[in-house]
Amino acid sequence: MRIAFVSFETIHHRDSETNERLWGVIDLLRERGHEVHVCCAQFWSGEKTTIERDGVTYHGVSVGLEARRSFLCRLPFVLRSIGPDVIHAGATPPSQVLAASTGSTLCRVPLLVEWYGDDLEDDRWTRWATGRPDRIVTPSRLVQTWIRELGADGDLIDVVPNPVDLELIRETPAGDAADIVYARKLDEGANLESFLLALAELRDREWQVTIIGDGPQRGMYEDLTRDLRIDDRITFVGDATLEERIAAYRSAHVFVQTAEYCVFPTELLWALACGCVGIVEYHAHSSAHELVEGRDRGFRTTSEQELADAILDAGDLEHRDVDDAFEPFGRRPILERYLQTYRDLQQEYGLI
């Protein structure tokens, strides 16, 4: 199948959650042998407007990120020259969805839009864009609700989570991490203090905590652990590779998520697939609770005291270093969901 992706900004320009999500899908398709084209702002030097890298063909629709108007004007015609079976566009900026929609009309193929939600804005461009795709994909029910509130037809929105590599999990030996793990960039949205206050309630219990991640608030959180007199049982390890994080998750018993804003809790999913018991503090702008709802090895809390109680209750559950219940979140099942959506769209489009 020939798929044309539309992403004015790419992961080669900026490493954002939205770009990582789209490039994850591209990587899955490339590995399966599909023909993948990416229409983007040029990120390479030289006069060539088209290059091939790692099995993906990139089309420099504009010379750079400063030439957005040129990108939007030229995009429909570049798409027509590619002749795709499906057009798969990112939602940022929303104006590119409108240009991609024109391209889908010229090519007479369906348009799917990936709406990740980490930079969602309520403006006229976004509201216009919600009505153009033949299908919208979001990573969580939370983002699905946001997009529906902006005017999208709820029947056209599918929820497809980020995938995890289950083979990599099984191949990675467990490490020497503590009983409880927290992993996130330590910025203003981390809300790590909620977790630390819960731990302070359990001073008389035996536990060790590993905190993975770095950021501008790390120093403040380290000071807080000293103020709470629990710093001797908490280790801040800074940033870690994926393999190092998997090793930590496989050895730990509990993973705690307290962030106030999260369109999809990727690290929580990795930890759950590694067998951790998941404890999530509920927040209105976080979808983390969606991964633990209805699961025996998951807890949803709303206060530091409930979080502390959940940590104690989690101790009664068996230790695991992999959880087969998360097979549907593997790379192959997620790819099959996208491919089936493409096929369904082609069939529906052919009947119009």
Side-chain angles (χ1 to χ4, degrees), residues 23-36 54-56 165 167 331-332 335:
W23 255 250
V25 179
I26 289 171
D27 194 47
L28 291 174
L29 292 164
R30 178 191 59 79
E31 287 182 359
R32 187 65 70 87
H34 293 277
E35 184 179 340
V36 179
D54 298 326
V56 176
D165 191 334
E167 292 183 6
R331 289 170 61 83
R332 182 176 293 274
L335 173 59

Side-chain angles (χ1 to χ4, degrees), residues 218-253:
R218 176 174 173 174
M220 184 270 287
Y221 288 130
E222 289 177 329
D223 290 342
L224 181 57
T225 63
R226 288 188 285 270
D227 294 341
L228 295 172
R229 294 180 287 109
I230 55 176
D231 55 299
D232 58 327
R233 289 191 277 174
I234 298 177
T235 302
F236 288 80
V237 300
D239 291 330
T241 66
L242 176 58
E243 288 77 8
E244 290 170 339
R245 300 198 306 273
I246 291 173
Y249 302 156
R250 294 198 73 181
S251 64
H253 186 63

Side-chain angles (χ1 to χ4, degrees), residues 226-343:
R226 288 188 285 270
D227 294 341
L228 295 172
R229 294 180 287 109
I230 55 176
D231 55 299
D232 58 327
R233 289 191 277 174
I234 298 177
T235 302
F236 288 80
V237 300
D239 291 330
T241 66
L242 176 58
E243 288 77 8
E244 290 170 339
R245 300 198 306 273
I246 291 173
Y249 302 156
R250 294 198 73 181
S251 64
H253 186 63
V254 173
F255 184 95
V256 173
Q257 168 99 9
T258 57
E260 296 176 344
Y261 181 90
C262 180
V263 295
F264 186 82
T266 302
E267 289 304 313
L268 172 63
L269 176 57
W270 279 102
L272 293 174
C274 289
C276 285
V277 178
I279 300 178
V280 172
E281 186 174 67
Y282 176 80
H283 293 285
H285 296 292
S286 171
S287 68
H289 63 278
E290 297 178 20
L291 287 183
V292 299
E293 286 178 345
R295 297 187 183 274
D296 295 335
R297 296 176 62 81
F299 297 85
R300 193 182 84 163
T301 68
T302 58
S303 68
E304 288 84 4
Q305 185 59 56
E306 287 184 6
L307 203 162
D309 293 341
I311 291 174
L312 294 179
D313 292 340
D316 296 330
L317 301 174
E318 66 171 341
H319 177 81
R320 296 179 185 175
D321 60 7
V322 67
D323 193 335
D324 294 334
F326 288 88
E327 288 285 348
F329 294 86
R331 289 170 61 83
R332 182 176 293 274
I334 294 299
L335 173 59
E336 289 300 330
R337 291 182 63 176
Y338 275 104
L339 292 175
Q340 187 59 53
T341 298
Y342 292 158
R343 289 189 285 265

